[in-house]
Amino acid sequence: MTVLLTGGSGFIGTHVLQELINREIEVVCLYNKAIPKIDSDLVSFKQFDLLNASNADFTKLFKETHPSHCLHMAWYTNHTDYLINEINNDWKDASIKLIHSFYGTGGKRFLGTGTCIEYDTKISGFYNEDSTPLKPNTLYAKCKLDVYRFLMEASANLEKSAAWARIFFVYGPNDRNNRLIPYIIDQLKNNKKASPRYGGLMRDYNFVLDLAKQLVDILLSDVTGAVNTGSGINYQIQDFFTLIGELMGAESLVDHNNYLPENQPKVIAADISKYLRLVNSLFIPTSLKSGLDQTINAVLS
């Protein structure tokens, strides 16, 4: 098998690329500007501008590379405006072209990556693929859901295999500086106070190496439709501050609060029973302490 991977230079994508290599799978990794810093005979890199490619460009790409599988992770992810930026519409269109051309040139299995906020995030609890309503309230989530629906319809009409991995919250080495865990580490590293804004919220944060394994597991399986990825555990936001403070020996710099905002659900967590039942029943999430310790060491090294 050969996997065509998009988004391989991103935070999650670099770990997915390494996981594919670990499993000795041949990969064609697309990039536009930044080439992932991974050296392996199993990987070939191909420059390709997904947003500006025509249908003919996509067809040529697949005829040249002949992937049996496609794992699509590329999207606009600027933390300041990714939820509302109009470029989400362009990524939706590019993703639909990618799916259409992949299947049209003989591709067998497509795995797209979505988001937990495709669900109705006014609901508090563990989100389930079959029972939790889909009700996106941001442009980003709406475009992701549109791609999911196109993928399911196209794969059914063409009798092809397809799955959609819904990603919840993620942390780990190489995360962007303006996100929660890097913020805490950076504050404490510089002998500054680390203060949670909404310490009482509970969220399912998945260690990025675990997520990479889940995504490759789903890609290699025959499961279809939407599949939640996550740890299956809801952690209190305050827990991250407290534990990082302990691991860095900076407990005195960590503020404590259990504040719950009225406009956000207390719990957003992944029901991963479908993944466990149909993909990998042996999955055990990395402990929060171990995951944070590895993340801290990566930042400080």
Side-chain angles (χ1 to χ4, degrees):
M1 64 179 292
T2 300
V3 175
L4 186 131
L5 175 67
T6 75
S9 58
F11 164 47
I12 300 171
T14 54
H15 295 284
V16 170
L17 179 56
Q18 186 60 60
E19 181 65 21
L20 289 165
I21 294 169
N22 293 346
R23 302 199 197 190
E24 299 184 344
I25 296 170
E26 290 189 6
V27 183
V28 177
C29 183
L30 301 188
Y31 73 95
N32 187 16
K33 297 177 181 178
I35 302 178
K37 296 179 181 179
I38 292 179
D39 184 18
S40 170
D41 292 339
L42 290 168
V43 182
S44 60
F45 296 99
K46 188 171 183 62
Q47 188 171 22
F48 193 84
D49 186 349
L50 287 162
L51 289 188
N52 293 304
S54 65
N55 287 322
D57 293 330
F58 277 105
T59 299
K60 181 181 178 183
L61 167 70
F62 287 117
K63 286 185 175 180
E64 289 177 349
T65 56
H66 303 290
S68 57
H69 293 59
C70 182
L71 175 44
H72 178 39
M73 302 195 64
W75 202 276
Y76 181 76
T77 58
N78 188 309
H79 188 66
T80 60
D81 69 342
Y82 78 99
L83 293 174
I84 60 172
N85 196 304
E86 289 294 327
I87 200 172
N88 281 292
N89 287 310
D90 297 331
W91 277 104
K92 178 181 74 173
D93 294 343
S95 300
I96 289 172
K97 287 181 183 179
L98 182 74
I99 295 165
H100 179 78
S101 296
F102 173 69
Y103 285 144
T105 52
K108 296 179 179 179
R109 179 165 171 80
F110 191 102
L111 174 60
T113 50
T115 169
C116 64
I117 60 173
E118 293 171 56
Y119 293 114
D120 184 353
T121 54
K122 291 183 179 180
I123 296 172
S124 176
F126 283 80
Y127 293 179
N128 177 274
E129 301 94 336
D130 297 321
S131 60
T132 304
L134 296 171
K135 192 178 180 181
N137 59 19
T138 66
L139 180 61
Y140 168 74
K142 288 174 183 175
C143 288
K144 284 283 190 176
L145 184 57
D146 285 346
V147 176
Y148 161 70
R149 287 172 170 159
F150 176 84
L151 174 62
M152 292 301 103
E153 182 177 357
S155 60
N157 290 340
L158 297 169
E159 297 183 345
K160 299 283 189 174
S161 181
W164 185 260
R166 290 208 173 102
I167 297 172
F168 281 65
F169 304 90
V170 189
Y171 75 97
N174 305 323
D175 199 355
R176 292 185 296 275
N177 292 334
N178 55 0
R179 285 161 56 92
L180 177 64
I181 309 305
Y183 156 76
I184 302 171
I185 297 171
D186 188 65
Q187 288 291 105
L188 301 185
K189 179 183 70 173
N190 290 297
N191 203 35
K192 296 179 181 179
K193 282 280 188 179
S195 305
R197 188 177 182 185
Y198 304 131
L201 292 177
M202 305 187 79
R203 298 292 184 261
D204 185 336
Y205 270 83
N206 198 11
F207 187 47
V208 69
L209 273 72
D210 289 351
L211 173 59
K213 292 174 182 177
Q214 289 178 324
L215 291 173
V216 176
D217 281 346
I218 295 168
L219 178 70
L220 301 183
S221 75
D222 58 6
V223 67
T224 59
V227 184
N228 287 340
T229 62
S231 69
I233 304 169
N234 55 338
Y235 298 103
Q236 194 170 36
I237 296 300
Q238 180 65 58
D239 294 341
F240 291 95
F241 286 80
T242 302
L243 188 49
I244 292 172
E246 293 173 0
L247 290 170
M248 295 182 67
E251 296 97 320
S252 63
L253 294 174
V254 174
D255 289 333
H256 297 260
N257 79 56
N258 291 315
Y259 178 68
L260 287 170
E262 293 183 359
N263 62 344
Q264 294 192 44
K266 180 178 180 180
V267 176
I268 295 179
D271 177 347
I272 60 170
S273 57
K274 181 177 181 179
Y275 168 80
L276 294 172
R277 185 176 73 255
L278 299 179
V279 181
N280 183 359
S281 62
L282 301 178
F283 171 73
I284 299 175
T286 299
S287 72
L288 184 59
K289 182 177 180 180
S290 175
L292 289 176
D293 194 40
Q294 292 179 60
T295 304
I296 292 166
N297 288 336
V299 171
L300 299 182
S301 63

